[in-house]
Amino acid sequence: MKKYYCIAICAIVAIILLQINHIDSIYRNYKLEIEDKLKQALSIAIDDELHIRGVLLNGHKPEKTHAIVRIRMEDMTPAMLDSISKLPGAKDTINVTKAREEGAIGTSAEISQQQSQDNYIRRGDYIKLPILDSIFINRMKMQLPHRFVLLDKDEKVMDSIGDFPFRHGNFIKTQAIGLKGLQTLRLEADIPMSQFAKQEILTLISNALLMLLLLGCVVLQLRVIRHKEQMSRRREIASKGIIHDLKSPVGTAVTLLGMVKYRHQNDPEAKPLEKNETMMQHLLHEIETLADTVGEDGVRTTISREPVDLAALADKVKQEVDIVYHSKQHNISIDNQLPQDLMPKVDADKVERILRNLVENAVKYADAGVEVLVVLTLQNNALLVSVKDNGWGIEPRYFKKIFRPYYRIEQPEDRYRKGHGMGLANARQLVLAHGGKLWVEGEPGKGSVFSFTLPQK
């Protein structure tokens, strides 16, 4: 159960981290968008403030519309051309590349604006921060804590507007005023999370609801797994109790039948006793299989190795299955390819149960007249036992699943056979305990071949 808790905790942490990363990504995109708006509003505010400053300097009243009149040089009067040639800096050579590197301009189109700034600074007519701030606020169309600081060439504060504390800002934009580097304008602003939360409230709520939904699903799944684990544990405890209660009387019955058969071994009418003894031994085998399958997880199956005549063991299984399925037409044959003097050291009882399970399944899951062949041979210095039949066969997609406890392949109603899905799981467990492996081959309609190996020790 602990691994399920670990998986659930990892899933919850992953969901929370993904949501945090998603919200952080949204906030970063929002911040970049606001920063672009701040830069654009600052550029427009500087340009409009310069225009208003020029209008006020000429004694005119600023208008709402900022217009530029273009006149071709060939249409200018001599007086116009003369006045342009007398403008400060009209004949200066400007290094555009250097001006860009210094941050004075972004494009060559801004040269005229920056020259005008130099002219006003030379006259002592500096940038009007209240007008600049007013234009900036109107352009932003949203309230953000900010302030403007005007610095001289030595970076000393000449003027400022706004009471926003610089230490709390997360956006700073510096803009050179003029080409001479005489003044610098710095915008300090804060892009608060509260503003982001107000604007993206629906997105945040939907993400929170999604996260809660996913967390709820994980918790619900964990509760279901826990409930199933508890039910499985209770079923295991109940099964052990039933198995324990059954094993003792059945074992006693087998012993008593053996004693009665021994006393009447020369009596021709005692033949049914032998059949009943075989049936009771088969029932005891089924109980032991259940006991092994529902045993505690992690408990290692104990193997008692002793020299065993594998061919005789296979013949014993054949006779027992013949008795159990005497009413069903079938034929079981044994092909012993082992050396006559070979007596491998294995657990006779465990190997008998493996063989009985495989041979019984071959007869059980087939139509009447089924042919079953048990092959005993050596392969790579290991015992190889194969149980072949021409029964219903198995689809390849079930080759691994059928060895799981309680797993059964769904069959049509006319092919339904009683069972618990524990036989093959127990057989695999016993083969692995010997250090071997168990596998299946075949296809529907052509029968199956169950094979297992047992190392020689």
Side-chain angles (χ1 to χ4, degrees):
M1 192 63 192
K2 289 182 179 179
K3 66 178 181 180
Y4 294 121
Y5 280 116
C6 292
I7 293 172
I9 292 172
C10 290
I12 290 172
V13 171
I15 291 171
I16 293 174
L17 291 177
L18 286 172
Q19 288 300 311
I20 291 175
N21 182 68
H22 180 59
I23 293 173
D24 180 65
S25 177
I26 295 175
Y27 175 67
R28 281 188 275 109
N29 291 334
Y30 165 82
K31 188 177 176 182
L32 289 174
E33 181 182 346
I34 298 301
E35 287 178 355
D36 289 339
K37 288 183 178 179
L38 286 168
K39 294 174 184 178
Q40 185 178 10
L42 175 62
S43 179
I44 293 174
I46 291 174
D47 185 51
D48 286 353
E49 187 279 333
L50 177 63
H51 168 71
I52 292 173
R53 201 183 339 155
V55 171
L56 292 175
L57 187 63
N58 294 325
H60 300 297
K61 183 179 180 181
E63 297 181 0
K64 293 183 178 180
T65 303
H66 181 179
I68 298 176
V69 178
R70 295 195 308 168
I71 303 176
R72 294 182 300 176
M73 291 189 67
E74 56 266 26
D75 295 334
M76 290 183 180
T77 63
M80 289 181 179
L81 293 172
D82 184 61
S83 62
I84 291 174
S85 63
K86 293 179 180 179
L87 288 173
K91 297 181 180 180
D92 290 347
T93 299
I94 299 171
N95 189 329
V96 176
T97 301
K98 183 178 179 181
R100 283 174 179 166
E101 292 174 353
E102 293 175 352
I105 61 172
T107 64
S108 56
E110 298 175 11
I111 293 175
S112 176
Q113 181 194 74
Q114 292 291 58
Q115 280 184 321
S116 298
Q117 294 283 14
D118 284 333
N119 293 336
Y120 286 129
I121 291 172
R122 191 179 294 109
R123 297 176 186 176
D125 190 10
Y126 303 147
I127 191 169
K128 304 293 190 294
L129 292 185
I131 297 176
L132 179 75
D133 187 55
S134 176
I135 298 171
F136 176 80
I137 293 173
N138 289 333
R139 285 290 177 180
M140 280 300 298
K141 297 180 181 179
M142 61 187 302
Q143 292 294 330
L144 285 179
H146 69 280
R147 76 167 179 171
F148 287 102
V149 180
L150 186 62
L151 306 171
D152 62 13
K153 62 180 180 179
D154 298 322
E155 296 190 356
K156 293 182 179 179
V157 177
M158 299 176 61
D159 193 10
S160 67
I161 186 170
D163 54 358
F164 172 68
F166 170 68
R167 63 181 179 276
H168 293 156
N170 54 17
F171 175 81
I172 299 175
K173 172 65 176 177
T174 302
Q175 177 64 51
I177 303 300
L179 298 172
K180 305 296 185 181
L182 300 176
Q183 291 182 357
T184 303
L185 180 67
R186 186 171 69 202
L187 168 62
E188 303 165 359
D190 182 40
I191 306 175
M193 282 290 293
S194 57
Q195 192 77 20
F196 164 72
K198 290 178 182 178
Q199 183 170 326
E200 303 290 339
I201 185 67
L202 293 178
T203 303
L204 294 175
I205 290 175
S206 63
N207 275 275
L209 291 176
L210 178 61
M211 183 174 68
L212 290 175
L213 178 63
L214 293 174
L215 291 176
C217 291
V218 172
V219 172
L220 178 62
Q221 188 68 18
L222 186 62
R223 292 184 63 182
V224 170
I225 293 173
R226 183 180 180 184
H227 176 71
K228 288 185 176 181
E229 185 79 12
Q230 291 175 344
M231 293 296 293
S232 177
R233 183 63 61 182
R234 291 172 186 169
R235 182 175 63 181
E236 183 179 317
I237 293 172
S239 299
K240 288 179 180 178
I242 295 171
I243 291 168
H244 181 270
D245 293 341
L246 285 173
K247 190 172 182 179
S248 180
V250 171
T252 302
V254 171
T255 302
L256 289 174
L257 283 171
M259 292 173 61
V260 172
K261 187 182 74 170
Y262 178 76
R263 291 179 180 179
H264 299 82
Q265 58 183 336
N266 297 322
D267 188 350
E269 296 182 359
K271 193 68 175 176
L273 289 176
E274 182 178 350
K275 180 179 178 181
N276 287 334
E277 183 188 21
T278 301
M279 296 292 289
M280 292 301 292
Q281 287 176 345
H282 181 267
L283 179 58
L284 185 60
H285 156 73
E286 293 292 335
I287 293 172
E288 290 173 346
T289 298
L290 285 171
D292 286 343
T293 306
V294 300
E296 292 287 347
D297 293 338
V299 176
R300 187 174 180 180
T301 303
T302 303
I303 299 298
S304 300
R305 297 181 182 274
E306 57 183 358
V308 174
D309 186 344
L310 207 57
L313 197 64
D315 187 64
K316 178 184 177 183
V317 170
K318 172 188 178 307
Q319 294 179 24
E320 292 179 356
V321 174
D322 283 340
I323 292 175
V324 174
Y325 288 91
H326 66 278
S327 61
K328 182 176 182 177
Q329 184 181 358
H330 67 277
N331 180 53
I332 302 174
S333 55
I334 300 173
D335 181 10
N336 182 17
Q337 301 177 13
L338 298 175
Q340 291 184 356
D341 58 344
L342 181 64
M343 297 283 286
K345 289 186 177 182
V346 296
D347 191 317
D349 180 62
K350 303 286 193 305
V351 174
E352 181 182 345
R353 284 160 59 185
I354 297 168
L355 268 173
R356 184 187 290 112
N357 184 277
L358 298 181
V359 173
E360 183 179 350
N361 280 353
V363 177
K364 183 178 181 180
Y365 297 102
D367 297 326
V370 61
E371 295 285 340
V372 180
L373 174 63
V374 180
V375 181
L376 310 176
T377 185
L378 287 175
Q379 185 183 75
N380 298 327
N381 202 34
L383 297 171
L384 174 63
V385 181
S386 299
V387 178
K388 305 177 181 180
D389 66 72
N390 59 350
W392 299 338
I394 301 173
E395 293 185 30
R397 58 181 174 143
Y398 297 122
F399 283 177
K400 292 183 179 180
K401 295 180 181 179
I402 57 176
F403 294 107
R404 299 175 186 172
Y406 308 108
Y407 186 85
R408 299 196 69 203
I409 300 174
E410 292 187 8
Q411 299 286 1
E413 188 174 349
D414 61 329
R415 287 187 172 184
Y416 175 77
R417 301 290 187 271
K418 290 183 179 180
H420 305 285
M422 295 184 179
L424 289 176
N426 180 245
R428 179 177 179 274
Q429 178 183 348
L430 297 178
V431 170
L432 291 177
H434 277 84
K437 61 179 180 177
L438 171 63
W439 69 95
V440 61
E441 299 170 298
E443 56 183 290
K446 295 186 178 181
S448 306
V449 181
F450 283 84
S451 304
F452 65 93
T453 57
L454 298 173
Q456 292 192 75
K457 292 187 178 180

